Amino acid sequence: MNNKNKMRKTLRSLMAGAGIVGAALTSGYTYANGPALKAGQEYMVVANYPNQIHVLDLQTDSLLKTCKVPGAYGPGVLQVAPDKKTVYMLTNHYEDVYGINVDDCSISFHTTFSNKQKYLRTKSLFSMALSPDGKELYVMHNPTKLNRDHYRVQDSYLAVYNTADGKDAKPVRTFPAPRQVTVMATGKDGGLYMAGADIYKMDVKTGNYDVHLPSRNWERPLYVQPDVLNAWPIQTPSKDFTILYTTARFQDEKQDLATADWIYGYLNVDLETGETETTDFGPITEIYFTGMKSPKDPNLVYGVLNRLAKYDVKQQKLIKAAELDHSYYCIAMNHDGSKVYLGGTFDDVAIYDADSLEKLGNIKLPGGDMAISTSQIFVR
Amino acid sequence: MNTIIRSPLAFAISAALATTALPASAQEDAVKIVQSKCLACHTEESHTKKNEGAPQWSRISHQRKTPEGWLMTIGRMQMMHGLQISDDERSAVVKYLADRQGLAPEETADYRYAMERRLDTMEAFDDSFFEEMCARCHSGARVGLQRRPAEEWEHLVHFHLGQWPSTEYQALARDRDWFPMAINDMVPKLAKMFPMDSDSWDHWQAAPKPEFVGQWSFAVHQPGRGDGSGLMTVTKQEGDQYSVSVDGQWADGTPLKGSGSAIVYTGFEWRAEIDLGGVITRQVLAASKDGMNLRGRVFEAAHDERGMEFTAAKATTGNSQIIAVYPQNLKAGESTEVTIVGAGLKGRVSMGNGVSIEKVLKRSYNSVTVLTKADADATTSANAVTVGGVNGGQFAVYKKVDSVKVQPAFTIARVGGNGGSTPKVQARFEAEAWGAGPDGQSGTDDDIRIGYLPANWHVEPFDEAAKADNDVHFAGRMDAASGVFTPGNAGPNPERRMSTNNAGNLKVVASVKDGDQTLQGDGQLIVTVQRWNDAPLP
């Protein structure tokens, strides 16, 4: 326990910064005009203040269009639907999901979690995923009952929505769920992976869930409990659900932290097969907010925060790192694995060559800070 | 989500404890205000035996807090829950609640730094669970300055997670089942650590309270400015309000004069606002239980890092004490004027072995200024200073300085200004000289504190990273003579690596000249970002 505490203290100031940010209010909104997306072409979506979604054309690495979203910004978690046309955004201070048709910027779906009549204020901390057929949306709800002179925190639960239910959608099913879940993803079999204390898998028909891949409760001899935070549910071209961890491994049973190895690694669920991995990929030399496997070479892992770094997983070695103009939180890669796109914080997306880590350019976004938005790359 | 920090109200609130007049029949009025303003959400309860006759309200009547604590609570009701209340009304309620449901003097003793706005305090708690669960986001003092029964601590946990849902996801929360632990483990612990019912509070309520009216002989010490002393005259106004005049001088003769007003909360918590030569200052002081001393901190209202230590003795018959001696030291063979401050200072002045009193230059009931001379062959020693039969002063004579410590050894400054809403926060340092003591080795238990000496100041990179990022250039400027560090401008700096702001990690170096030798001491200064959430209690 003591050793675990030491570990936490070392890490704590580094990872806590991804918390909740303030928000600017939009007064009214208009739908941007812009071309519809073209089939077969690769795009990236990312959100920023004052609550808008940008579509970037990755053929030309330029801004294609901007869709305004009602309400206040934050956190800007995006999920691209299987139709590759509808983009779902968790926003309005973690209390609403909008489904936006990025062809014409129209709103196809909206739900607000809170219920004023029942004095319930409900938020979702980055937890949103879509069924493989796009017909259902899964959102973790964290409600608080606002009584007249005191609050009562309620149990967390999973809410299931029909995406066809339009602009006043209500949950069609709810299931009890563990607290502290952040990002989620669905497998090919429709099972819902929920990353919390451990990575759980839920049957979205019955609500039954169990631990699919342990993290807080892993049993790896000589390893301390890992520190895991993920606020960016990145939909990867390789269909991997990847979450970084940091940990320490003692040399022997004496458990001497002074001689322990400090390690970066990832937890991974293959969303096609459900296969899991717990893989160390290198020593900790700096912190990454997000990381992902290369779509073209699963032995390569990239991580970003203050540098963009590339690791050889088998050799557990840093291959290369690029200095950045400023911090970036969220990583994305194109489908052939040739380019890395960095979003989050400030108002520009930076593009790097995935092999050389040379900078290829920036795409400046209209509006303000992306903050902790999730950027997603997809092929229409 | 950070509504507190964005609201101009937050700034107004932190300034509100000593400024507003209370209505005449304050208690009755305060009850009426609570009844008209608070019962939209709170409910009136049946009277308990303990509070016979006094109205009881849900939540409100089941907590005890400092004046700052009550101010924060009502401020939060304004900012988050739509309470409409005037500043005068709020003052009346704070006064009423702090008096009836305050903390006893000893209940505040460990945490006064928070009320005194010593915002560079490095808190350390033996109880790591308390530290991780509570003092991870705000000061532990904010918790330690409240008293609640278990039920109310439980309400507080629900409020925290309900209001800030990310609480259970953050570092040192996501490693554990935070919410069940907060409810099942932390709540009983807090109810035991900081209970609503206490003997201290019962005794304090029944005890005779200090009398503030009269004259107070005070001494101040401000890093970068030095020592001063004078008389503070307190005159009674309505209720527990007072008018205050300050008449004194700094050691260099500069006047230290001003006037203002004060309110006393809970019988001993003195909060004053004094215009000192055009600078608005606040006094956050506590009276000793016997009413013979006032102690605490005085700071500029607009720059609370610019503060002075304040000690006062009631200038009244029967109170004889020494509260300050300045300067703190004298080198062998040299002479200097020394001022001894206190009350009831009659009789012969003694500065201890090796120091002779050449002449009494000035003398009053509250202070004596003497010309002293240290023997040429005096050895380094920390001497007791007495005036007649009054003890309590300290004065060092030294042959040579053997080591120098920078005080504080670690502190922070904050970038600011540059068009932003938050001013720069300076840091101030002093060079503390030490003698090696009988063993001739510095850094051992027998070292003798000589005290503060003038120094020449500069900053260096604290480590390789600071050097590579040129923190010395960007983070601010040290004033070589005063030891006052003024940080750089706020905001991203395009000239810096990754356009980072003007933060820095600096080694603060003091060079003290002592005869032919120059000694150096160093400390650490972190220049960091603005404090956005600047609540009355950090």
Side-chain angles (χ1 to χ4, degrees), chain B residues 102-123:
Chain B
L103 267 64
E106 57 267 42
E107 290 180 316
T108 69
D110 290 344
Y111 304 106
R112 299 205 63 82
Y113 55 85
M115 294 183 281
E116 292 169 350
R117 306 290 293 169
R118 297 177 196 267
L119 299 184
D120 62 344
T121 303
M122 299 287 289
E123 289 186 318

PDB file of all heavy atoms in Angstrom, chain B residues 102-123:
ATOM      1  N   GLY B 102     -19.196  29.712  16.162  1.00  0.00           N
ATOM      2  CA  GLY B 102     -17.828  29.933  15.718  1.00  0.00           C
ATOM      3  C   GLY B 102     -16.912  28.827  16.203  1.00  0.00           C
ATOM      4  O   GLY B 102     -17.362  27.743  16.588  1.00  0.00           O
ATOM      5  N   LEU B 103     -15.615  29.112  16.152  1.00  0.00           N
ATOM      6  CA  LEU B 103     -14.618  28.187  16.692  1.00  0.00           C
ATOM      7  C   LEU B 103     -13.959  28.831  17.895  1.00  0.00           C
ATOM      8  O   LEU B 103     -13.706  30.042  17.893  1.00  0.00           O
ATOM      9  CB  LEU B 103     -13.550  27.854  15.642  1.00  0.00           C
ATOM     10  CG  LEU B 103     -13.799  26.594  14.798  1.00  0.00           C
ATOM     11  CD1 LEU B 103     -15.051  26.748  13.946  1.00  0.00           C
ATOM     12  CD2 LEU B 103     -12.601  26.307  13.922  1.00  0.00           C
ATOM     13  N   ALA B 104     -13.670  28.040  18.908  1.00  0.00           N
ATOM     14  CA  ALA B 104     -12.943  28.530  20.074  1.00  0.00           C
ATOM     15  C   ALA B 104     -11.503  28.838  19.668  1.00  0.00           C
ATOM     16  O   ALA B 104     -11.013  28.277  18.677  1.00  0.00           O
ATOM     17  CB  ALA B 104     -12.963  27.475  21.177  1.00  0.00           C
ATOM     18  N   PRO B 105     -10.835  29.723  20.413  1.00  0.00           N
ATOM     19  CA  PRO B 105      -9.464  30.095  20.027  1.00  0.00           C
ATOM     20  C   PRO B 105      -8.579  28.885  19.760  1.00  0.00           C
ATOM     21  O   PRO B 105      -7.889  28.833  18.737  1.00  0.00           O
ATOM     22  CB  PRO B 105      -8.970  30.898  21.231  1.00  0.00           C
ATOM     23  CG  PRO B 105     -10.196  31.509  21.807  1.00  0.00           C
ATOM     24  CD  PRO B 105     -11.299  30.501  21.584  1.00  0.00           C
ATOM     25  N   GLU B 106      -8.603  27.887  20.648  1.00  0.00           N
ATOM     26  CA  GLU B 106      -7.694  26.751  20.443  1.00  0.00           C
ATOM     27  C   GLU B 106      -8.114  25.887  19.263  1.00  0.00           C
ATOM     28  O   GLU B 106      -7.300  25.160  18.707  1.00  0.00           O
ATOM     29  CB  GLU B 106      -7.548  25.907  21.717  1.00  0.00           C
ATOM     30  CG  GLU B 106      -8.840  25.361  22.289  1.00  0.00           C
ATOM     31  CD  GLU B 106      -9.435  26.298  23.343  1.00  0.00           C
ATOM     32  OE1 GLU B 106      -9.426  27.523  23.138  1.00  0.00           O
ATOM     33  OE2 GLU B 106      -9.919  25.782  24.370  1.00  0.00           O
ATOM     34  N   GLU B 107      -9.384  25.975  18.863  1.00  0.00           N
ATOM     35  CA  GLU B 107      -9.825  25.194  17.704  1.00  0.00           C
ATOM     36  C   GLU B 107      -9.283  25.770  16.392  1.00  0.00           C
ATOM     37  O   GLU B 107      -9.270  25.094  15.368  1.00  0.00           O
ATOM     38  CB  GLU B 107     -11.355  25.128  17.659  1.00  0.00           C
ATOM     39  CG  GLU B 107     -11.943  24.259  18.771  1.00  0.00           C
ATOM     40  CD  GLU B 107     -13.468  24.194  18.735  1.00  0.00           C
ATOM     41  OE1 GLU B 107     -14.118  25.247  18.547  1.00  0.00           O
ATOM     42  OE2 GLU B 107     -14.016  23.100  18.925  1.00  0.00           O
ATOM     43  N   THR B 108      -8.881  27.035  16.428  1.00  0.00           N
ATOM     44  CA  THR B 108      -8.343  27.657  15.205  1.00  0.00           C
ATOM     45  C   THR B 108      -6.824  27.610  15.154  1.00  0.00           C
ATOM     46  O   THR B 108      -6.229  27.917  14.118  1.00  0.00           O
ATOM     47  CB  THR B 108      -8.741  29.145  15.111  1.00  0.00           C
ATOM     48  OG1 THR B 108      -8.046  29.894  16.133  1.00  0.00           O
ATOM     49  CG2 THR B 108     -10.231  29.344  15.277  1.00  0.00           C
ATOM     50  N   ALA B 109      -6.193  27.231  16.280  1.00  0.00           N
ATOM     51  CA  ALA B 109      -4.748  27.466  16.441  1.00  0.00           C
ATOM     52  C   ALA B 109      -3.902  26.857  15.323  1.00  0.00           C
ATOM     53  O   ALA B 109      -2.966  27.492  14.842  1.00  0.00           O
ATOM     54  CB  ALA B 109      -4.289  26.941  17.796  1.00  0.00           C
ATOM     55  N   ASP B 110      -4.229  25.659  14.889  1.00  0.00           N
ATOM     56  CA  ASP B 110      -3.387  24.978  13.901  1.00  0.00           C
ATOM     57  C   ASP B 110      -3.571  25.497  12.482  1.00  0.00           C
ATOM     58  O   ASP B 110      -2.827  25.110  11.574  1.00  0.00           O
ATOM     59  CB  ASP B 110      -3.687  23.468  13.899  1.00  0.00           C
ATOM     60  CG  ASP B 110      -3.201  22.797  15.175  1.00  0.00           C
ATOM     61  OD1 ASP B 110      -2.395  23.408  15.895  1.00  0.00           O
ATOM     62  OD2 ASP B 110      -3.656  21.665  15.451  1.00  0.00           O
ATOM     63  N   TYR B 111      -4.592  26.297  12.268  1.00  0.00           N
ATOM     64  CA  TYR B 111      -4.951  26.634  10.882  1.00  0.00           C
ATOM     65  C   TYR B 111      -5.073  28.136  10.630  1.00  0.00           C
ATOM     66  O   TYR B 111      -5.665  28.550   9.640  1.00  0.00           O
ATOM     67  CB  TYR B 111      -6.282  25.960  10.513  1.00  0.00           C
ATOM     68  CG  TYR B 111      -6.254  24.466  10.700  1.00  0.00           C
ATOM     69  CD1 TYR B 111      -6.916  23.872  11.773  1.00  0.00           C
ATOM     70  CD2 TYR B 111      -5.559  23.662   9.812  1.00  0.00           C
ATOM     71  CE1 TYR B 111      -6.893  22.498  11.951  1.00  0.00           C
ATOM     72  CE2 TYR B 111      -5.530  22.281   9.982  1.00  0.00           C
ATOM     73  CZ  TYR B 111      -6.196  21.709  11.055  1.00  0.00           C
ATOM     74  OH  TYR B 111      -6.172  20.357  11.223  1.00  0.00           O
ATOM     75  N   ARG B 112      -4.491  28.946  11.514  1.00  0.00           N
ATOM     76  CA  ARG B 112      -4.697  30.384  11.366  1.00  0.00           C
ATOM     77  C   ARG B 112      -4.084  30.926  10.068  1.00  0.00           C
ATOM     78  O   ARG B 112      -4.500  31.959   9.542  1.00  0.00           O
ATOM     79  CB  ARG B 112      -4.153  31.153  12.581  1.00  0.00           C
ATOM     80  CG  ARG B 112      -4.843  30.768  13.890  1.00  0.00           C
ATOM     81  CD  ARG B 112      -4.760  31.882  14.921  1.00  0.00           C
ATOM     82  NE  ARG B 112      -5.436  33.080  14.487  1.00  0.00           N
ATOM     83  CZ  ARG B 112      -6.740  33.283  14.593  1.00  0.00           C
ATOM     84  NH1 ARG B 112      -7.529  32.383  15.131  1.00  0.00           N
ATOM     85  NH2 ARG B 112      -7.278  34.410  14.159  1.00  0.00           N
ATOM     86  N   TYR B 113      -3.085  30.212   9.539  1.00  0.00           N
ATOM     87  CA  TYR B 113      -2.434  30.673   8.300  1.00  0.00           C
ATOM     88  C   TYR B 113      -3.425  30.860   7.166  1.00  0.00           C
ATOM     89  O   TYR B 113      -3.214  31.693   6.286  1.00  0.00           O
ATOM     90  CB  TYR B 113      -1.316  29.702   7.884  1.00  0.00           C
ATOM     91  CG  TYR B 113      -1.756  28.270   7.736  1.00  0.00           C
ATOM     92  CD1 TYR B 113      -2.310  27.804   6.557  1.00  0.00           C
ATOM     93  CD2 TYR B 113      -1.616  27.372   8.795  1.00  0.00           C
ATOM     94  CE1 TYR B 113      -2.721  26.482   6.418  1.00  0.00           C
ATOM     95  CE2 TYR B 113      -2.018  26.050   8.680  1.00  0.00           C
ATOM     96  CZ  TYR B 113      -2.574  25.615   7.489  1.00  0.00           C
ATOM     97  OH  TYR B 113      -2.976  24.309   7.369  1.00  0.00           O
ATOM     98  N   ALA B 114      -4.485  30.093   7.175  1.00  0.00           N
ATOM     99  CA  ALA B 114      -5.453  30.209   6.074  1.00  0.00           C
ATOM    100  C   ALA B 114      -6.218  31.525   6.183  1.00  0.00           C
ATOM    101  O   ALA B 114      -6.392  32.241   5.200  1.00  0.00           O
ATOM    102  CB  ALA B 114      -6.406  29.025   6.082  1.00  0.00           C
ATOM    103  N   MET B 115      -6.659  31.860   7.397  1.00  0.00           N
ATOM    104  CA  MET B 115      -7.363  33.129   7.588  1.00  0.00           C
ATOM    105  C   MET B 115      -6.419  34.310   7.385  1.00  0.00           C
ATOM    106  O   MET B 115      -6.818  35.360   6.904  1.00  0.00           O
ATOM    107  CB  MET B 115      -7.965  33.179   8.996  1.00  0.00           C
ATOM    108  CG  MET B 115      -9.051  32.162   9.214  1.00  0.00           C
ATOM    109  SD  MET B 115      -9.820  32.292  10.849  1.00  0.00           S
ATOM    110  CE  MET B 115      -8.628  31.468  11.889  1.00  0.00           C
ATOM    111  N   GLU B 116      -5.166  34.105   7.751  1.00  0.00           N
ATOM    112  CA  GLU B 116      -4.170  35.186   7.648  1.00  0.00           C
ATOM    113  C   GLU B 116      -3.616  35.347   6.237  1.00  0.00           C
ATOM    114  O   GLU B 116      -2.708  36.142   6.019  1.00  0.00           O
ATOM    115  CB  GLU B 116      -3.015  34.905   8.624  1.00  0.00           C
ATOM    116  CG  GLU B 116      -3.440  35.031  10.077  1.00  0.00           C
ATOM    117  CD  GLU B 116      -2.394  34.500  11.057  1.00  0.00           C
ATOM    118  OE1 GLU B 116      -1.407  33.853  10.621  1.00  0.00           O
ATOM    119  OE2 GLU B 116      -2.563  34.722  12.263  1.00  0.00           O
ATOM    120  N   ARG B 117      -4.143  34.554   5.305  1.00  0.00           N
ATOM    121  CA  ARG B 117      -3.752  34.655   3.892  1.00  0.00           C
ATOM    122  C   ARG B 117      -2.259  34.409   3.708  1.00  0.00           C
ATOM    123  O   ARG B 117      -1.600  35.090   2.921  1.00  0.00           O
ATOM    124  CB  ARG B 117      -4.133  36.021   3.302  1.00  0.00           C
ATOM    125  CG  ARG B 117      -5.584  36.408   3.462  1.00  0.00           C
ATOM    126  CD  ARG B 117      -6.517  35.602   2.621  1.00  0.00           C
ATOM    127  NE  ARG B 117      -6.368  35.824   1.187  1.00  0.00           N
ATOM    128  CZ  ARG B 117      -6.955  35.063   0.255  1.00  0.00           C
ATOM    129  NH1 ARG B 117      -7.708  34.047   0.607  1.00  0.00           N
ATOM    130  NH2 ARG B 117      -6.779  35.318  -1.011  1.00  0.00           N
ATOM    131  N   ARG B 118      -1.738  33.418   4.397  1.00  0.00           N
ATOM    132  CA  ARG B 118      -0.355  32.994   4.150  1.00  0.00           C
ATOM    133  C   ARG B 118      -0.453  31.901   3.091  1.00  0.00           C
ATOM    134  O   ARG B 118      -0.421  30.709   3.373  1.00  0.00           O
ATOM    135  CB  ARG B 118       0.283  32.468   5.437  1.00  0.00           C
ATOM    136  CG  ARG B 118       0.393  33.530   6.528  1.00  0.00           C
ATOM    137  CD  ARG B 118       0.965  32.917   7.795  1.00  0.00           C
ATOM    138  NE  ARG B 118       0.747  33.771   8.939  1.00  0.00           N
ATOM    139  CZ  ARG B 118       1.610  34.694   9.393  1.00  0.00           C
ATOM    140  NH1 ARG B 118       2.763  34.857   8.788  1.00  0.00           N
ATOM    141  NH2 ARG B 118       1.319  35.431  10.436  1.00  0.00           N
ATOM    142  N   LEU B 119      -0.572  32.361   1.841  1.00  0.00           N
ATOM    143  CA  LEU B 119      -0.940  31.443   0.775  1.00  0.00           C
ATOM    144  C   LEU B 119       0.243  30.643   0.242  1.00  0.00           C
ATOM    145  O   LEU B 119       0.072  29.828  -0.659  1.00  0.00           O
ATOM    146  CB  LEU B 119      -1.645  32.209  -0.356  1.00  0.00           C
ATOM    147  CG  LEU B 119      -2.946  32.909   0.080  1.00  0.00           C
ATOM    148  CD1 LEU B 119      -3.630  33.553  -1.108  1.00  0.00           C
ATOM    149  CD2 LEU B 119      -3.903  31.958   0.769  1.00  0.00           C
ATOM    150  N   ASP B 120       1.424  30.864   0.790  1.00  0.00           N
ATOM    151  CA  ASP B 120       2.557  30.023   0.386  1.00  0.00           C
ATOM    152  C   ASP B 120       2.827  28.939   1.431  1.00  0.00           C
ATOM    153  O   ASP B 120       3.843  28.257   1.369  1.00  0.00           O
ATOM    154  CB  ASP B 120       3.812  30.865   0.151  1.00  0.00           C
ATOM    155  CG  ASP B 120       4.271  31.581   1.408  1.00  0.00           C
ATOM    156  OD1 ASP B 120       3.466  31.683   2.362  1.00  0.00           O
ATOM    157  OD2 ASP B 120       5.422  32.049   1.440  1.00  0.00           O
ATOM    158  N   THR B 121       1.912  28.772   2.366  1.00  0.00           N
ATOM    159  CA  THR B 121       2.096  27.731   3.387  1.00  0.00           C
ATOM    160  C   THR B 121       2.139  26.350   2.736  1.00  0.00           C
ATOM    161  O   THR B 121       1.302  26.020   1.912  1.00  0.00           O
ATOM    162  CB  THR B 121       0.918  27.775   4.392  1.00  0.00           C
ATOM    163  OG1 THR B 121       0.860  29.075   4.960  1.00  0.00           O
ATOM    164  CG2 THR B 121       1.101  26.731   5.497  1.00  0.00           C
ATOM    165  N   MET B 122       3.143  25.566   3.098  1.00  0.00           N
ATOM    166  CA  MET B 122       3.202  24.182   2.652  1.00  0.00           C
ATOM    167  C   MET B 122       2.586  23.327   3.748  1.00  0.00           C
ATOM    168  O   MET B 122       3.214  23.091   4.778  1.00  0.00           O
ATOM    169  CB  MET B 122       4.660  23.758   2.425  1.00  0.00           C
ATOM    170  CG  MET B 122       5.370  24.577   1.376  1.00  0.00           C
ATOM    171  SD  MET B 122       4.816  24.179  -0.290  1.00  0.00           S
ATOM    172  CE  MET B 122       5.529  22.550  -0.470  1.00  0.00           C
ATOM    173  N   GLU B 123       1.369  22.897   3.529  1.00  0.00           N
ATOM    174  CA  GLU B 123       0.711  22.082   4.546  1.00  0.00           C
ATOM    175  C   GLU B 123       1.312  20.683   4.571  1.00  0.00           C
ATOM    176  O   GLU B 123       1.707  20.149   3.536  1.00  0.00           O
ATOM    177  CB  GLU B 123      -0.777  21.964   4.249  1.00  0.00           C
ATOM    178  CG  GLU B 123      -1.556  23.236   4.477  1.00  0.00           C
ATOM    179  CD  GLU B 123      -3.043  23.019   4.303  1.00  0.00           C
ATOM    180  OE1 GLU B 123      -3.413  22.317   3.349  1.00  0.00           O
ATOM    181  OE2 GLU B 123      -3.819  23.539   5.117  1.00  0.00           O
TER     182      GLU B 123
END
